[in-house]
Amino acid sequence: MTQLPDSEMSSRIDLVGTLFIIWGAVTTLVGLSTLALAVGALAIITSPNRGGGSQFAAGLTVAAFTAVAVMAMAWGGAHIVVGVPLRRRRPWARLLALMLGAVDLLLLPYGTALGCYALWVLLHEEGKRLFV
């Protein structure tokens, strides 16, 4: 592996932290919008002109959208919580970022790109040295 100057590796770690914060904010916004859809489906249930079959379907929709929204907001919040201390070179944030980056690999296409880059930067020898 080639040696990278500390300033270059430091700027890459800052970029990973910033990307984690941005990814977390976008994911949290997706969660909030999904929660709004769940509220809309809940409005169908509580409306006085509801039909027989639509109430069951709306109930399933509320449950599914609420579950997805909570997971998305938790996932986004975790990225923000890790991204800020990662930029401050906290060793525990590096470990959590590696875990989040590994799971991000499954979230095509942007999560995969973020996960690959995060793992590459944070597992690089010079990157490890900056967190000691």
Side-chain angles (χ1 to χ4, degrees), residues 13-22 24 76-90 92-94 96-97 100 131:
I13 291 171
D14 285 341
L15 178 61
V16 170
T18 302
L19 290 173
F20 264 58
I21 294 166
I22 292 169
H79 279 78
I80 294 170
V81 166
V82 169
V84 173
L86 187 66
R87 291 177 49 91
R88 295 180 183 151
R89 309 296 185 272
R90 304 286 193 262
W92 62 268
R94 178 183 169 270
L96 288 177
L100 289 174
F131 284 94

mmCIF file of all heavy atoms in Angstrom, residues 13-22 24 76-90 92-94 96-97 100 131:
data_model
loop_
_atom_site.group_PDB
_atom_site.id
_atom_site.type_symbol
_atom_site.label_atom_id
_atom_site.label_comp_id
_atom_site.label_asym_id
_atom_site.label_seq_id
_atom_site.Cartn_x
_atom_site.Cartn_y
_atom_site.Cartn_z
ATOM 1 N N ILE A 13 -10.898 11.351 6.113
ATOM 2 C CA ILE A 13 -11.696 11.000 7.287
ATOM 3 C C ILE A 13 -12.744 12.075 7.538
ATOM 4 O O ILE A 13 -13.898 11.765 7.878
ATOM 5 C CB ILE A 13 -10.783 10.787 8.513
ATOM 6 C CG1 ILE A 13 -9.960 9.516 8.305
ATOM 7 C CG2 ILE A 13 -11.600 10.695 9.793
ATOM 8 C CD1 ILE A 13 -8.876 9.305 9.321
ATOM 9 N N ASP A 14 -12.379 13.344 7.362
ATOM 10 C CA ASP A 14 -13.363 14.426 7.480
ATOM 11 C C ASP A 14 -14.487 14.248 6.462
ATOM 12 O O ASP A 14 -15.660 14.474 6.774
ATOM 13 C CB ASP A 14 -12.698 15.788 7.268
ATOM 14 C CG ASP A 14 -11.870 16.217 8.462
ATOM 15 O OD1 ASP A 14 -12.072 15.670 9.561
ATOM 16 O OD2 ASP A 14 -11.010 17.096 8.283
ATOM 17 N N LEU A 15 -14.133 13.842 5.253
ATOM 18 C CA LEU A 15 -15.141 13.619 4.218
ATOM 19 C C LEU A 15 -16.066 12.470 4.603
ATOM 20 O O LEU A 15 -17.282 12.569 4.431
ATOM 21 C CB LEU A 15 -14.478 13.345 2.869
ATOM 22 C CG LEU A 15 -15.432 13.057 1.710
ATOM 23 C CD1 LEU A 15 -16.355 14.246 1.451
ATOM 24 C CD2 LEU A 15 -14.649 12.699 0.456
ATOM 25 N N VAL A 16 -15.514 11.391 5.131
ATOM 26 C CA VAL A 16 -16.362 10.269 5.572
ATOM 27 C C VAL A 16 -17.321 10.739 6.661
ATOM 28 O O VAL A 16 -18.516 10.418 6.633
ATOM 29 C CB VAL A 16 -15.502 9.081 6.058
ATOM 30 C CG1 VAL A 16 -16.365 8.026 6.737
ATOM 31 C CG2 VAL A 16 -14.742 8.455 4.906
ATOM 32 N N GLY A 17 -16.822 11.508 7.610
ATOM 33 C CA GLY A 17 -17.698 12.035 8.660
ATOM 34 C C GLY A 17 -18.799 12.913 8.098
ATOM 35 O O GLY A 17 -19.966 12.808 8.488
ATOM 36 N N THR A 18 -18.447 13.772 7.157
ATOM 37 C CA THR A 18 -19.437 14.645 6.518
ATOM 38 C C THR A 18 -20.455 13.829 5.733
ATOM 39 O O THR A 18 -21.661 14.099 5.781
ATOM 40 C CB THR A 18 -18.738 15.662 5.600
ATOM 41 O OG1 THR A 18 -17.801 16.414 6.378
ATOM 42 C CG2 THR A 18 -19.727 16.591 4.956
ATOM 43 N N LEU A 19 -19.987 12.830 5.002
ATOM 44 C CA LEU A 19 -20.902 11.970 4.242
ATOM 45 C C LEU A 19 -21.832 11.198 5.173
ATOM 46 O O LEU A 19 -23.010 11.003 4.849
ATOM 47 C CB LEU A 19 -20.116 11.017 3.349
ATOM 48 C CG LEU A 19 -19.391 11.656 2.167
ATOM 49 C CD1 LEU A 19 -18.518 10.622 1.458
ATOM 50 C CD2 LEU A 19 -20.377 12.290 1.201
ATOM 51 N N PHE A 20 -21.334 10.773 6.328
ATOM 52 C CA PHE A 20 -22.194 10.105 7.302
ATOM 53 C C PHE A 20 -23.284 11.064 7.791
ATOM 54 O O PHE A 20 -24.446 10.670 7.934
ATOM 55 C CB PHE A 20 -21.369 9.594 8.487
ATOM 56 C CG PHE A 20 -20.970 8.159 8.371
ATOM 57 C CD1 PHE A 20 -20.222 7.709 7.297
ATOM 58 C CD2 PHE A 20 -21.317 7.247 9.345
ATOM 59 C CE1 PHE A 20 -19.850 6.384 7.186
ATOM 60 C CE2 PHE A 20 -20.959 5.921 9.246
ATOM 61 C CZ PHE A 20 -20.216 5.483 8.167
ATOM 62 N N ILE A 21 -22.911 12.296 8.043
ATOM 63 C CA ILE A 21 -23.896 13.282 8.522
ATOM 64 C C ILE A 21 -24.943 13.543 7.441
ATOM 65 O O ILE A 21 -26.151 13.578 7.721
ATOM 66 C CB ILE A 21 -23.181 14.575 8.965
ATOM 67 C CG1 ILE A 21 -22.319 14.302 10.198
ATOM 68 C CG2 ILE A 21 -24.193 15.683 9.238
ATOM 69 C CD1 ILE A 21 -21.336 15.397 10.525
ATOM 70 N N ILE A 22 -24.504 13.713 6.202
ATOM 71 C CA ILE A 22 -25.439 13.964 5.094
ATOM 72 C C ILE A 22 -26.344 12.750 4.885
ATOM 73 O O ILE A 22 -27.565 12.887 4.739
ATOM 74 C CB ILE A 22 -24.671 14.326 3.810
ATOM 75 C CG1 ILE A 22 -23.990 15.689 3.966
ATOM 76 C CG2 ILE A 22 -25.594 14.319 2.601
ATOM 77 C CD1 ILE A 22 -22.998 16.010 2.867
ATOM 78 N N GLY A 24 -27.132 10.501 7.033
ATOM 79 C CA GLY A 24 -28.046 10.429 8.171
ATOM 80 C C GLY A 24 -29.190 11.418 8.056
ATOM 81 O O GLY A 24 -30.342 11.092 8.356
ATOM 82 N N GLY A 76 -30.762 6.871 10.376
ATOM 83 C CA GLY A 76 -30.229 8.197 10.070
ATOM 84 C C GLY A 76 -29.631 8.865 11.290
ATOM 85 O O GLY A 76 -28.557 9.473 11.225
ATOM 86 N N GLY A 77 -30.322 8.756 12.407
ATOM 87 C CA GLY A 77 -29.801 9.334 13.641
ATOM 88 C C GLY A 77 -28.483 8.712 14.058
ATOM 89 O O GLY A 77 -27.574 9.404 14.532
ATOM 90 N N ALA A 78 -28.351 7.396 13.866
ATOM 91 C CA ALA A 78 -27.092 6.721 14.203
ATOM 92 C C ALA A 78 -25.944 7.249 13.353
ATOM 93 O O ALA A 78 -24.831 7.452 13.849
ATOM 94 C CB ALA A 78 -27.245 5.212 14.011
ATOM 95 N N HIS A 79 -26.205 7.513 12.082
ATOM 96 C CA HIS A 79 -25.157 8.056 11.209
ATOM 97 C C HIS A 79 -24.748 9.463 11.636
ATOM 98 O O HIS A 79 -23.565 9.807 11.579
ATOM 99 C CB HIS A 79 -25.611 8.041 9.751
ATOM 100 C CG HIS A 79 -25.454 6.714 9.102
ATOM 101 N ND1 HIS A 79 -26.325 5.680 9.313
ATOM 102 C CD2 HIS A 79 -24.498 6.240 8.263
ATOM 103 C CE1 HIS A 79 -25.922 4.631 8.618
ATOM 104 N NE2 HIS A 79 -24.815 4.941 7.969
ATOM 105 N N ILE A 80 -25.713 10.263 12.029
ATOM 106 C CA ILE A 80 -25.375 11.619 12.486
ATOM 107 C C ILE A 80 -24.586 11.556 13.785
ATOM 108 O O ILE A 80 -23.581 12.254 13.954
ATOM 109 C CB ILE A 80 -26.653 12.463 12.638
ATOM 110 C CG1 ILE A 80 -27.296 12.689 11.265
ATOM 111 C CG2 ILE A 80 -26.353 13.793 13.328
ATOM 112 C CD1 ILE A 80 -28.686 13.300 11.315
ATOM 113 N N VAL A 81 -25.033 10.693 14.704
ATOM 114 C CA VAL A 81 -24.361 10.569 16.001
ATOM 115 C C VAL A 81 -22.928 10.067 15.837
ATOM 116 O O VAL A 81 -22.051 10.442 16.603
ATOM 117 C CB VAL A 81 -25.181 9.631 16.927
ATOM 118 C CG1 VAL A 81 -24.389 9.188 18.127
ATOM 119 C CG2 VAL A 81 -26.464 10.322 17.359
ATOM 120 N N VAL A 82 -22.663 9.264 14.827
ATOM 121 C CA VAL A 82 -21.317 8.752 14.592
ATOM 122 C C VAL A 82 -20.498 9.715 13.725
ATOM 123 O O VAL A 82 -19.294 9.857 13.922
ATOM 124 C CB VAL A 82 -21.383 7.346 13.943
ATOM 125 C CG1 VAL A 82 -20.023 6.897 13.442
ATOM 126 C CG2 VAL A 82 -21.934 6.354 14.936
ATOM 127 N N GLY A 83 -21.136 10.400 12.796
ATOM 128 C CA GLY A 83 -20.410 11.271 11.871
ATOM 129 C C GLY A 83 -19.723 12.446 12.541
ATOM 130 O O GLY A 83 -18.592 12.801 12.180
ATOM 131 N N VAL A 84 -20.381 13.050 13.515
ATOM 132 C CA VAL A 84 -19.796 14.222 14.189
ATOM 133 C C VAL A 84 -18.542 13.844 14.977
ATOM 134 O O VAL A 84 -17.478 14.453 14.777
ATOM 135 C CB VAL A 84 -20.857 14.929 15.068
ATOM 136 C CG1 VAL A 84 -20.227 16.025 15.904
ATOM 137 C CG2 VAL A 84 -21.981 15.483 14.199
ATOM 138 N N PRO A 85 -18.577 12.839 15.863
ATOM 139 C CA PRO A 85 -17.335 12.492 16.580
ATOM 140 C C PRO A 85 -16.275 11.840 15.687
ATOM 141 O O PRO A 85 -15.093 11.872 16.021
ATOM 142 C CB PRO A 85 -17.786 11.537 17.678
ATOM 143 C CG PRO A 85 -19.161 11.146 17.354
ATOM 144 C CD PRO A 85 -19.722 12.120 16.394
ATOM 145 N N LEU A 86 -16.689 11.283 14.561
ATOM 146 C CA LEU A 86 -15.713 10.732 13.622
ATOM 147 C C LEU A 86 -14.811 11.846 13.096
ATOM 148 O O LEU A 86 -13.600 11.667 12.966
ATOM 149 C CB LEU A 86 -16.430 10.030 12.464
ATOM 150 C CG LEU A 86 -15.563 9.257 11.486
ATOM 151 C CD1 LEU A 86 -14.924 8.062 12.188
ATOM 152 C CD2 LEU A 86 -16.396 8.789 10.314
ATOM 153 N N ARG A 87 -15.391 12.990 12.826
ATOM 154 C CA ARG A 87 -14.601 14.138 12.371
ATOM 155 C C ARG A 87 -13.674 14.646 13.471
ATOM 156 O O ARG A 87 -12.675 15.295 13.188
ATOM 157 C CB ARG A 87 -15.519 15.263 11.908
ATOM 158 C CG ARG A 87 -16.272 14.922 10.621
ATOM 159 C CD ARG A 87 -17.228 16.019 10.221
ATOM 160 N NE ARG A 87 -16.621 17.338 10.227
ATOM 161 C CZ ARG A 87 -16.038 17.906 9.168
ATOM 162 N NH1 ARG A 87 -15.987 17.278 8.030
ATOM 163 N NH2 ARG A 87 -15.530 19.116 9.267
ATOM 164 N N ARG A 88 -13.991 14.341 14.727
ATOM 165 C CA ARG A 88 -13.154 14.765 15.860
ATOM 166 C C ARG A 88 -12.153 13.683 16.271
ATOM 167 O O ARG A 88 -11.524 13.789 17.309
ATOM 168 C CB ARG A 88 -14.046 15.129 17.040
ATOM 169 C CG ARG A 88 -14.908 16.331 16.760
ATOM 170 C CD ARG A 88 -15.772 16.673 17.944
ATOM 171 N NE ARG A 88 -16.629 17.793 17.599
ATOM 172 C CZ ARG A 88 -17.816 17.997 18.125
ATOM 173 N NH1 ARG A 88 -18.297 17.172 19.034
ATOM 174 N NH2 ARG A 88 -18.536 19.038 17.753
ATOM 175 N N ARG A 89 -12.089 12.609 15.467
ATOM 176 C CA ARG A 89 -11.128 11.514 15.644
ATOM 177 C C ARG A 89 -11.326 10.740 16.949
ATOM 178 O O ARG A 89 -10.370 10.345 17.599
ATOM 179 C CB ARG A 89 -9.679 12.000 15.570
ATOM 180 C CG ARG A 89 -9.324 12.831 14.378
ATOM 181 C CD ARG A 89 -9.447 12.044 13.084
ATOM 182 N NE ARG A 89 -8.993 12.839 11.958
ATOM 183 C CZ ARG A 89 -9.784 13.664 11.269
ATOM 184 N NH1 ARG A 89 -11.040 13.804 11.589
ATOM 185 N NH2 ARG A 89 -9.324 14.355 10.256
ATOM 186 N N ARG A 90 -12.562 10.504 17.330
ATOM 187 C CA ARG A 90 -12.832 9.689 18.505
ATOM 188 C C ARG A 90 -12.696 8.212 18.108
ATOM 189 O O ARG A 90 -13.325 7.769 17.149
ATOM 190 C CB ARG A 90 -14.238 9.930 19.045
ATOM 191 C CG ARG A 90 -14.549 11.378 19.381
ATOM 192 C CD ARG A 90 -13.827 11.793 20.665
ATOM 193 N NE ARG A 90 -14.340 13.060 21.169
ATOM 194 C CZ ARG A 90 -13.766 14.227 20.957
ATOM 195 N NH1 ARG A 90 -12.672 14.301 20.246
ATOM 196 N NH2 ARG A 90 -14.275 15.328 21.470
ATOM 197 N N TRP A 92 -13.863 5.451 19.383
ATOM 198 C CA TRP A 92 -15.117 4.687 19.411
ATOM 199 C C TRP A 92 -15.975 4.995 18.185
ATOM 200 O O TRP A 92 -16.707 4.124 17.698
ATOM 201 C CB TRP A 92 -15.897 4.947 20.699
ATOM 202 C CG TRP A 92 -16.320 6.379 20.887
ATOM 203 C CD1 TRP A 92 -15.627 7.346 21.556
ATOM 204 C CD2 TRP A 92 -17.506 6.995 20.398
ATOM 205 N NE1 TRP A 92 -16.316 8.538 21.510
ATOM 206 C CE2 TRP A 92 -17.478 8.350 20.811
ATOM 207 C CE3 TRP A 92 -18.592 6.547 19.663
ATOM 208 C CZ2 TRP A 92 -18.493 9.242 20.494
ATOM 209 C CZ3 TRP A 92 -19.603 7.444 19.358
ATOM 210 C CH2 TRP A 92 -19.543 8.772 19.774
ATOM 211 N N ALA A 93 -15.878 6.213 17.662
ATOM 212 C CA ALA A 93 -16.657 6.581 16.481
ATOM 213 C C ALA A 93 -16.141 5.832 15.251
ATOM 214 O O ALA A 93 -16.928 5.467 14.371
ATOM 215 C CB ALA A 93 -16.594 8.084 16.248
ATOM 216 N N ARG A 94 -14.848 5.587 15.197
ATOM 217 C CA ARG A 94 -14.293 4.816 14.085
ATOM 218 C C ARG A 94 -14.862 3.408 14.074
ATOM 219 O O ARG A 94 -15.264 2.897 13.026
ATOM 220 C CB ARG A 94 -12.760 4.765 14.183
ATOM 221 C CG ARG A 94 -12.121 3.945 13.090
ATOM 222 C CD ARG A 94 -10.597 3.854 13.269
ATOM 223 N NE ARG A 94 -10.073 2.868 12.358
ATOM 224 C CZ ARG A 94 -9.927 1.575 12.646
ATOM 225 N NH1 ARG A 94 -10.245 1.135 13.846
ATOM 226 N NH2 ARG A 94 -9.458 0.739 11.756
ATOM 227 N N LEU A 96 -17.704 2.337 15.418
ATOM 228 C CA LEU A 96 -19.128 2.377 15.052
ATOM 229 C C LEU A 96 -19.310 2.698 13.570
ATOM 230 O O LEU A 96 -20.217 2.160 12.926
ATOM 231 C CB LEU A 96 -19.867 3.392 15.918
ATOM 232 C CG LEU A 96 -20.065 2.989 17.382
ATOM 233 C CD1 LEU A 96 -20.741 4.108 18.156
ATOM 234 C CD2 LEU A 96 -20.850 1.714 17.494
ATOM 235 N N ALA A 97 -18.460 3.556 13.026
ATOM 236 C CA ALA A 97 -18.548 3.883 11.602
ATOM 237 C C ALA A 97 -18.219 2.657 10.753
ATOM 238 O O ALA A 97 -18.823 2.459 9.692
ATOM 239 C CB ALA A 97 -17.604 5.036 11.265
ATOM 240 N N LEU A 100 -21.447 0.568 10.891
ATOM 241 C CA LEU A 100 -22.491 1.160 10.062
ATOM 242 C C LEU A 100 -22.134 1.052 8.581
ATOM 243 O O LEU A 100 -22.997 0.761 7.745
ATOM 244 C CB LEU A 100 -22.704 2.628 10.438
ATOM 245 C CG LEU A 100 -23.368 2.908 11.789
ATOM 246 C CD1 LEU A 100 -23.361 4.406 12.071
ATOM 247 C CD2 LEU A 100 -24.764 2.352 11.841
ATOM 248 N N PHE A 131 -6.530 7.684 14.712
ATOM 249 C CA PHE A 131 -7.515 7.508 15.779
ATOM 250 C C PHE A 131 -6.907 6.993 17.084
ATOM 251 O O PHE A 131 -7.615 6.714 18.024
ATOM 252 C CB PHE A 131 -8.619 6.529 15.329
ATOM 253 C CG PHE A 131 -9.582 7.169 14.381
ATOM 254 C CD1 PHE A 131 -9.404 7.061 13.020
ATOM 255 C CD2 PHE A 131 -10.669 7.874 14.860
ATOM 256 C CE1 PHE A 131 -10.291 7.659 12.136
ATOM 257 C CE2 PHE A 131 -11.557 8.461 14.001
ATOM 258 C CZ PHE A 131 -11.367 8.353 12.637
#
